[in-house]
Amino acid sequence: MTGVQGRDMRIGIIGTGNMADALGGRWAAAGHRVLFGGRSPERAGALADRTGQSAGTLQEAAAFGEAVLLAVPYGAVAGVLAALGAADGALRGRIVVDCTNAVGPGFRLTTGTGPGAARTIADATGARVVKAFNHLPDSVWRLTPPAFADGPVAVPLCGDDEAALDTVGALVRDLGCVPLTVGGLDRAAYLEAATAFLIGLWHSGHDPRTLLPPFEVVTA
């Protein structure tokens, strides 16, 4: 059995793109029940068929189970939240995993000097938001498991609610990864900025690992 305290979980996924496919598919393979919801019933249905899971509306995904993954482009977040009824409390108090990246031209944050993506989503929904899974592309999350020479990938988590962090940490472990709580939601903006920086390096052909000496050298 998997999930929090040995339980399989019900996970609603808002979105039908690559991250929804990768994470939803891995969680389904781990034994969780997943419902994909999107603006395109055809795409949601295709994901459900491919993973042996269920498809529904945005509203149904938002109401499904213990956790909800928000996996849409950040530029679409406001419209999706409006469509699923966030202003009327559709996500209030629920655990929402935010894997969005507000990255625009020049690999700069589109949130500017305002609140980060995770904080904006939390304020708009009243949800217990945990920032997670945004720092790597879907191709990594599809690996079984995402582990390399130095061991399994660590997944940084930012959130203010301990129960929500525990739930998302269990979902991280179900991928074969290691959850790493790095602070509250106030730290999510730093994770978002670091990810934008990493994306820029990768797209320009640079390996971010060359920027860092071994851990033992830094901490000596």
Side-chain angles (χ1 to χ4, degrees), residues 168-196:
V168 180
L171 292 174
V172 169
R173 286 188 289 271
D174 286 338
L175 300 182
C177 299
V178 178
L180 178 63
T181 300
V182 295
L185 207 60
D186 60 325
R187 302 286 294 176
Y190 298 112
L191 176 56
E192 292 163 3
T195 300

Side-chain angles (χ1 to χ4, degrees), residues 9 18 34 45 47 52 80 84-85 97 112-114 117-118 127-128 142 144 152 160-161 177 179 181 185 189 200 202:
M9 281 187 266
N18 289 334
V34 176
L47 280 180
V80 166
L84 63 82
V97 185
T113 59
R128 296 181 286 160
R142 295 179 194 275
T144 53
D160 294 333
D161 186 277
C177 299
T181 300
L185 207 60
W202 286 323

Side-chain angles (χ1 to χ4, degrees), residues 10 18 24 26 33 36 74 84-85 93 104 109 123 153 169 183 198 214:
R10 289 156 52 98
N18 289 334
R26 290 295 314 282
R33 293 180 58 192
F36 296 95
Y74 184 72
L84 63 82
L109 292 176
D123 290 345
V153 166
L198 289 173

Side-chain angles (χ1 to χ4, degrees), residues 18-115:
N18 289 334
M19 289 291 280
D21 185 10
L23 291 170
R26 290 295 314 282
W27 289 329
H32 298 300
R33 293 180 58 192
V34 176
L35 188 148
F36 296 95
R39 287 178 162 175
S40 167
E42 292 78 17
R43 292 189 63 174
L47 280 180
D49 290 344
R50 186 156 63 248
T51 58
Q53 298 296 307
S54 303
T57 64
L58 289 171
Q59 294 85 350
E60 288 169 336
F64 188 78
E66 290 95 324
V68 177
L69 174 71
L70 182 60
V72 299
Y74 184 72
V77 165
V80 166
L81 293 181
L84 63 82
D88 297 322
L91 290 169
R92 187 172 298 124
R94 296 185 56 70
I95 297 172
V96 170
V97 185
D98 168 29
C99 70
T100 68
N101 279 311
V103 179
F107 308 106
R108 298 178 184 274
L109 292 176
T110 59
T111 48
T113 59

